[in-house]
Amino acid sequence: MTLSLTDYNFRQIVGKPDNVPIVSMLFIVGFFTWLYFKRAVENDERIAQGRPVVESENNEKVLVWPDLVYTELICMVVVTAVLVAWGIALQAPLEEPASSVRTPNPSKAPWYFLGLQEMLVYYDPWLAGVVFPSLIVVGLMAIPYIDFNKRGNGYYSFKERSFAVLVFMFGFLPLWIAMIVLGTFLAARTGTFLAFMSFGTSTSWKCSTMSTCRRCSGSI
């Protein structure tokens, strides 16, 4: 992403207020993925050495009232203040009402459905709109029933839950998060990825072809 910021079009896309949640999501997903594996490796080493896991050593019980309720109240106030400041600082107003005579080009779905829309560009609508999303959702729901291993519950561990973790990571990161990033930052219409692949020879590409484009649904 840092290297791509040298491209003008990419900077304009990343800097849009509408794309701030997606940029934040990249760092949040990366941080918590790293945090999980860090703690999982530590617990796996402890188990191999015959020592108790970290969660069992720091298993201090607290009361719902007042400890948990106060903590949740403080978090609620802080998050509300952040969202209010976010809404004031970022200029992301609603656009005019939708009109059939003036359709944005390209017309994109909300960022959380952008992965699904991106699949519609490359695959048959039946596969991209019905089969693949169903496989992803049903597959993630089926993990606890396919892998009924009771070890690794209540504490971080990779060796004891490797199947469930790998299946979830494959279904969540490449098949959903990566498609959202592809549709937002590396779509062919922005020219960023194509310009980067051409080693900087062109930073003004607007599409991968000069004929009819499936993504833009029109002639350019």
Side-chain angles (χ1 to χ4, degrees), residues 1-27 86 90-92 108 180-187 190 192-193:
M1 176 178 289
T2 303
L3 182 61
S4 300
L5 285 174
T6 58
D7 181 79
Y8 173 79
N9 292 331
F10 188 78
R11 289 199 305 272
Q12 297 300 312
I13 296 172
V14 174
K16 289 181 59 178
D18 296 346
N19 291 336
V20 170
I22 308 177
V23 178
S24 303
M25 179 188 65
L26 294 180
F27 292 98
W86 189 344
L90 296 180
Q91 299 300 321
K108 288 190 174 184
I180 293 177
V181 174
L182 178 64
T184 305
F185 301 134
L186 303 179
T190 66
T192 306
F193 184 68

Side-chain angles (χ1 to χ4, degrees), residues 122-137:
Y122 304 104
Y123 299 102
D124 181 79
W126 166 252
L127 291 176
V130 179
V131 177
F132 290 164
S134 299
L135 289 177
I136 295 173
V137 174

Side-chain angles (χ1 to χ4, degrees), residues 2-112:
T2 303
L3 182 61
S4 300
L5 285 174
T6 58
D7 181 79
Y8 173 79
N9 292 331
F10 188 78
R11 289 199 305 272
Q12 297 300 312
I13 296 172
V14 174
K16 289 181 59 178
D18 296 346
N19 291 336
V20 170
I22 308 177
V23 178
S24 303
M25 179 188 65
L26 294 180
F27 292 98
I28 293 174
V29 170
F31 170 76
F32 281 104
T33 302
W34 168 83
L35 180 63
Y36 162 77
F37 280 104
K38 178 179 180 297
R39 295 188 176 182
V41 169
E42 182 180 359
N43 280 339
D44 290 338
E45 293 177 351
R46 284 172 168 264
I47 294 174
Q49 298 171 0
R51 300 164 55 194
V53 297
V54 177
E55 287 77 8
S56 63
E57 293 184 351
N58 301 324
N59 191 20
E60 180 183 358
K61 297 184 181 297
V62 296
L63 299 176
V64 174
W65 174 266
D67 300 320
L68 180 61
V69 175
Y70 281 171
T71 303
E72 291 180 344
L73 176 63
I74 295 173
C75 292
M76 181 181 67
V77 173
V78 171
V79 172
T80 302
V82 170
L83 291 178
V84 171
W86 189 344
I88 295 175
L90 296 180
Q91 299 300 321
L94 295 177
E95 297 181 359
E96 63 274 4
S99 174
S100 58
V101 299
R102 188 178 181 275
T103 304
N105 187 17
S107 180
K108 288 190 174 184
W111 66 269
Y112 42 85

Side-chain angles (χ1 to χ4, degrees), residues 103-208:
T103 304
N105 187 17
S107 180
K108 288 190 174 184
W111 66 269
Y112 42 85
F113 284 140
L114 206 56
L116 178 62
Q117 185 185 33
E118 192 65 20
M119 286 192 292
L120 291 171
V121 177
Y122 304 104
Y123 299 102
D124 181 79
W126 166 252
L127 291 176
V130 179
V131 177
F132 290 164
S134 299
L135 289 177
I136 295 173
V137 174
V138 175
L140 294 178
M141 293 171 56
I143 292 178
Y145 301 97
I146 298 176
D147 181 20
F148 45 83
N149 177 21
K150 295 182 179 180
R151 301 174 63 185
N153 290 332
Y155 58 91
Y156 293 96
S157 176
F158 178 73
K159 292 183 178 179
E160 296 182 353
R161 304 291 301 183
S162 57
F163 174 79
V165 172
L166 291 176
V167 172
F168 177 81
M169 298 290 287
F170 177 74
F172 181 66
L173 294 182
L175 299 183
W176 199 252
I177 300 298
M179 295 301 292
I180 293 177
V181 174
L182 178 64
T184 305
F185 301 134
L186 303 179
R189 181 162 177 77
T190 66
T192 306
F193 184 68
L194 297 178
F196 174 75
M197 293 301 293
S198 66
F199 300 98
T201 57
S202 174
T203 57
S204 60
W205 292 3
K206 291 301 181 182
C207 193
S208 58

